[in-house]
Amino acid sequence: MAIRIKPLFHYITKSPICFTTPTFQNRLLFQSISTTSPSHHEYLNPLCNLFQRYGFQPHELPNFLKKNDFLQNSTPQEIEKYFKILQTLNPSREFLVSTITSCPRVLQLAFLENWKLGIKQLGIHSISWIAISNILELASKFGLSPNDVSRRVGCFKGLGFSEATVNRVLENEPMAIMSVEDELREKVEFLMGIGVRGSEIDGVVRLYPTILALGVEKRLKPLLDEFSDLGFSLSDVRREVVREPQVLGLENGELSHCLEMLQSLKCRLATKESIFGDGEFRAGYKVKLRVDCLRKHGLIYRDAFTVLWKEPRVILYDIKDIEKKIEFLVGKMKFGIECLVEVPEYLGANFDKQIVPRFNVINHLRSRGGLGDEVGLRKLVKMSRLKFYNMYVKPYPDHEKIYGRFAEKSAVRSRHSVGMWKLFRPQKYPETEDDVQNIRHFMESLPK
């Protein structure tokens, strides 16, 4: 780093133009533009300070300013004026940084003056900063005026959507405002066709705004045909859509694959009954969500199904609990996600009572160099409580404290139960002197 910085400072000291030495936070910016002229540095230094003061990260500024060289056409004072106009739309720093980062072209006076009052014309009283940021980005990209966006928002309200639903759509599916009214009406009519009432449609779109981006003919109707082929009636589909609208995001054939796997499960009857407790549709969708969770963390589609088939209890667990175990496996235990295919029982083990205490004991033993053979995930998870206690806790007094209250339970279980021969042994009575004399006389009376 010093090799790159030295020529620049040498040049600066020889230059007749004086300006302050960059701070530590600005050093990265100056290193990335070391070939520019001194006058350019003199301009960038206050500009860099301005962006940092409004919440931008120093390490992001070199690349940002390099990509958006049009900012050089405005002075730092003008850019600060643009910042303040944006803050009148929403005062949060997150809004300012997010909007400028995603769409720097909003830093134009004519555009900002046009939208300064345009947000209020939308008629959404509790609009979020994310929705405002998305609107400005679309307006800048497609040349939309406040009247254009206001007219499209009015179309949403005309279809019966509440302000909360419109705000949610603008947050999560802003491109929906680019759809023509007939396309939006077609989605509403599809929901009505499966029995979703007008009062429920607003809730469905609010919970799953992505439905407005799905094609009716190419996506939604084929999906409805698949549900029908699987034996689900329209009332079944309506109930599930109202309960969790995300089921409309299923890929064609995905639910069929999930139900096929469920039918082939070989597990305890109680576990299978719990899985199908809310019906086949809900059971299949639960599988889809957990497959997506495993795939998000690195497993391929086939391996994710394999894990669920080998350890069906995972279908009953909350996704947050599954993710917590996976993060602990990869981040703390340093195992690869592929280990779950060989040891799916890990996801079925109790996190607080089994996984964490055992890992703490093994990790402490490893840190002391007292671990002979490395303990793999299979051995760590599948070993019985008594065997683990006898091998890794009992021989080491300090491990009792690390293992915690589970050491006491294991120690109690290690005691052998009372044998049956002890229970049926005749009761022993105390002997008196008379008893001893009687036995002696009896023995003496026997023939010799």
Side-chain angles (χ1 to χ4, degrees), residues 165-398:
T165 299
V166 176
N167 183 73
R168 185 71 188 276
V169 171
L170 292 174
E171 285 182 345
N172 296 274
E173 201 62 45
M175 283 298 296
I177 67 173
M178 302 300 298
S179 303
V180 297
E181 184 175 358
D182 291 341
E183 293 176 345
L184 299 174
R185 192 178 302 277
E186 191 177 17
K187 275 101 177 186
V188 173
E189 291 175 351
F190 170 81
L191 292 173
M192 296 176 65
I194 61 177
V196 182
R197 295 184 289 270
S199 59
E200 297 171 331
I201 293 177
D202 181 67
V204 169
V205 176
R206 182 167 62 253
L207 292 174
Y208 188 57
T210 307
I211 187 177
L212 299 179
L214 302 178
V216 174
E217 296 296 331
K218 294 184 178 180
R219 180 70 180 273
L220 295 176
K221 286 187 177 179
L223 185 64
L224 188 61
D225 292 337
E226 180 188 354
F227 294 160
S228 178
D229 293 340
L230 291 172
F232 300 113
S233 63
L234 282 179
S235 61
D236 295 331
V237 176
R238 174 202 163 275
R239 182 180 64 251
E240 296 300 331
V241 168
V242 173
R243 180 180 180 180
E244 193 163 359
Q246 287 82 358
V247 298
L248 294 174
L250 284 164
E251 298 286 345
N252 293 334
E254 195 170 12
L255 185 62
S256 302
H257 194 185
C258 293
L259 290 176
E260 182 181 352
M261 187 275 286
L262 287 175
Q263 297 298 335
S264 66
L265 285 180
K266 297 179 180 179
C267 59
R268 295 172 55 199
L269 181 60
T271 302
K272 202 165 189 178
E273 288 178 349
S274 298
I275 293 173
F276 286 98
D278 291 334
E280 290 190 4
F281 197 110
R282 176 58 39 179
Y285 187 66
K286 284 182 179 179
V287 172
K288 178 258 191 301
L289 293 179
R290 282 140 188 84
V291 167
D292 289 347
C293 173
L294 294 173
R295 292 180 65 191
K296 182 179 71 173
H297 286 87
L299 286 183
I300 63 175
Y301 193 76
R302 180 187 60 194
D303 288 345
F305 268 95
T306 301
V307 170
L308 295 181
W309 188 83
K310 289 182 176 180
E311 187 56 60
R313 292 179 298 172
V314 179
I315 303 172
L316 301 173
Y317 297 158
D318 190 86
I319 292 180
K320 291 183 179 179
D321 294 334
I322 298 173
E323 290 185 332
K324 182 170 70 172
K325 291 179 180 178
I326 293 176
E327 290 170 2
F328 190 82
L329 174 74
V330 178
K332 193 75 174 177
M333 302 177 71
K334 305 302 180 184
F335 286 104
I337 189 67
E338 299 79 10
C339 292
L340 293 178
V341 181
E342 298 297 327
V343 193
E345 294 85 358
Y346 170 83
L347 294 178
N350 190 292
F351 183 75
D352 295 318
K353 295 181 179 180
Q354 184 172 351
I355 296 175
V356 174
R358 293 189 178 190
F359 171 75
N360 289 339
V361 169
I362 296 299
N363 194 45
H364 182 261
L365 194 59
R366 184 186 295 116
S367 65
R368 294 172 52 187
L371 192 65
D373 297 331
E374 188 62 31
V375 179
L377 184 62
R378 179 182 297 276
K379 192 174 183 180
L380 186 68
V381 172
K382 301 191 71 173
M383 187 180 294
S384 68
R385 177 184 292 179
L386 177 60
K387 188 174 181 180
F388 183 86
Y389 174 79
N390 289 335
M391 287 187 65
Y392 300 110
V393 180
K394 190 176 180 179
Y396 310 96
D398 55 335

Side-chain angles (χ1 to χ4, degrees), residues 64-73 105:
F64 177 81
L65 295 175
K66 183 179 179 181
K67 287 183 177 180
N68 302 285
D69 54 357
F70 72 93
L71 293 173
Q72 301 174 18
N73 299 327
R105 289 290 174 181

Side-chain angles (χ1 to χ4, degrees), residues 18 46 87 128 137 219 255 413:
C18 292
Q87 287 182 325
S128 66
E137 185 175 353
R219 180 70 180 273
L255 185 62
R413 289 194 175 189

Side-chain angles (χ1 to χ4, degrees), residues 37-145:
S37 64
S39 60
H40 191 58
H41 288 305
E42 188 175 18
Y43 167 78
L44 286 177
N45 192 31
L47 185 62
C48 179
N49 291 332
L50 172 66
F51 274 88
Q52 290 183 44
R53 193 166 70 248
Y54 279 86
F56 287 81
Q57 297 298 320
H59 66 275
E60 297 175 351
L61 287 175
N63 192 41
F64 177 81
L65 295 175
K66 183 179 179 181
K67 287 183 177 180
N68 302 285
D69 54 357
F70 72 93
L71 293 173
Q72 301 174 18
N73 299 327
S74 302
T75 65
Q77 292 76 18
E78 290 174 335
I79 294 177
E80 186 169 15
K81 180 182 178 181
Y82 304 156
F83 285 175
K84 291 180 178 179
I85 295 176
L86 282 172
Q87 287 182 325
T88 61
L89 304 180
N90 190 283
S92 70
R93 178 170 290 189
E94 288 178 302
F95 164 72
L96 183 69
V97 175
S98 175
T99 302
I100 296 176
T101 302
S102 60
C103 186
R105 289 290 174 181
V106 301
L107 295 178
Q108 297 174 354
L109 183 60
F111 177 84
L112 291 174
E113 290 289 351
N114 191 27
W115 276 96
K116 189 174 182 179
L117 299 176
I119 295 296
K120 297 180 179 179
Q121 297 175 5
L122 301 181
I124 305 175
H125 297 91
S126 57
I127 188 169
S128 66
W129 70 263
I130 299 176
I132 298 175
S133 180
N134 290 337
I135 290 172
L136 294 179
E137 185 175 353
L138 288 175
S140 176
K141 186 179 296 184
F142 297 103
L144 300 177
S145 68

Side-chain angles (χ1 to χ4, degrees), residues 431-448:
E431 296 180 347
T432 64
E433 290 187 9
D434 294 338
D435 293 331
V436 174
Q437 292 294 332
N438 291 334
I439 293 174
R440 183 178 298 167
H441 293 318
F442 173 75
M443 295 300 294
E444 291 176 352
S445 64
L446 293 176
K448 297 180 180 179

